[in-house]
Amino acid sequence: MINKTNVKNFFKTYGYWVAFALSIALLITIVTIAIVNKPAPIEEDFTPVVNEEIKFADPLADMALMKDYSNTKLQYSNTLKLWQAHKAVDLAAEEGTDVIAVLDGTVTEVTYNYLMGNIVKLDVGGGITVVYASLASDIPVKQGDAVTKGSVIGKVGKTAKSEASDGAHLHLEVLLNGESVDPNLYLDLSAK
Ligand SMILES: [Zn+2]
């Protein structure tokens, strides 16, 4: 019964349907592969053990939260034209505003980085290091200095090239045992 003419007639009549069915099957296969191979969402399993007793002094006398901390949520960088996690808080302030030691501590590093500008790292004990970035060039402290809570460790600048279009601000990062944690754990920005 199956001869060439029958096959020809079959495709003449049902050719489009066969093509359609094959397309659907292909589509389902592609979608299935895409779902199976979908990369796992980036999530940090690192849960900081936060000492609730530790409370920071305000790093600026007058500040406005400009960009909040985000661990996994991507935020758009106007300067870099890309989405990235912002593991710090950006506090808007006039250029030249005093930047304050949030706790007693020791300056472990005074450095410059093209992307983050002038940086002061302050070890405040308890495994916590406060990283102040985008500071003005005029930095009154040096590595090894012991500073007291409330003392001036620098001035607000706009030296962080990666955040240049955000204007003058303090980029404040908090490291707990070397890992970025949310500065809001130690700071009260809610009323700002
Ligand atoms: Zn920032």
Side-chain angles (χ1 to χ4, degrees), residues 66-68 84 86-91 116 133-134 160 162-163 166 169-173:
M66 187 167 76
K67 196 188 281 182
D68 208 353
Q84 56 180 10
H86 187 252
K87 295 187 174 188
V89 289
D90 283 349
L91 303 166
M116 292 324 304
S134 195
S162 66
E163 297 182 339
D166 295 328
H169 69 278
L170 171 67
H171 173 100
L172 186 87
E173 192 174 346

Side-chain angles (χ1 to χ4, degrees), residues 124-164:
V124 296
I128 302 170
T129 297
V130 182
V131 183
Y132 298 86
S134 195
L135 298 172
S137 307
D138 170 26
I139 294 172
V141 294
K142 61 182 189 311
Q143 191 179 338
D145 282 0
V147 298
T148 53
K149 182 177 180 176
S151 61
V152 176
I153 59 105
K155 307 256 186 214
V156 169
K158 40 186 171 186
T159 55
K161 293 286 186 290
S162 66
E163 297 182 339

Side-chain angles (χ1 to χ4, degrees), residues 2 13 28 45 59 96 117 163 167 170 182:
I2 297 173
T13 315
I28 289 169
D45 47 13
E163 297 182 339
L170 171 67
D182 189 347

Side-chain angles (χ1 to χ4, degrees), residues 109-119 133-134 159-162:
E109 210 177 318
V110 177
T111 180
Y112 172 80
N113 169 307
Y114 181 80
L115 292 176
M116 292 324 304
N118 294 303
I119 300 167
S134 195
T159 55
K161 293 286 186 290
S162 66

Side-chain angles (χ1 to χ4, degrees), residues 28-40:
I28 289 169
T29 310
I30 289 168
V31 168
T32 307
I33 290 170
I35 289 169
V36 170
N37 292 339
K38 190 180 167 202

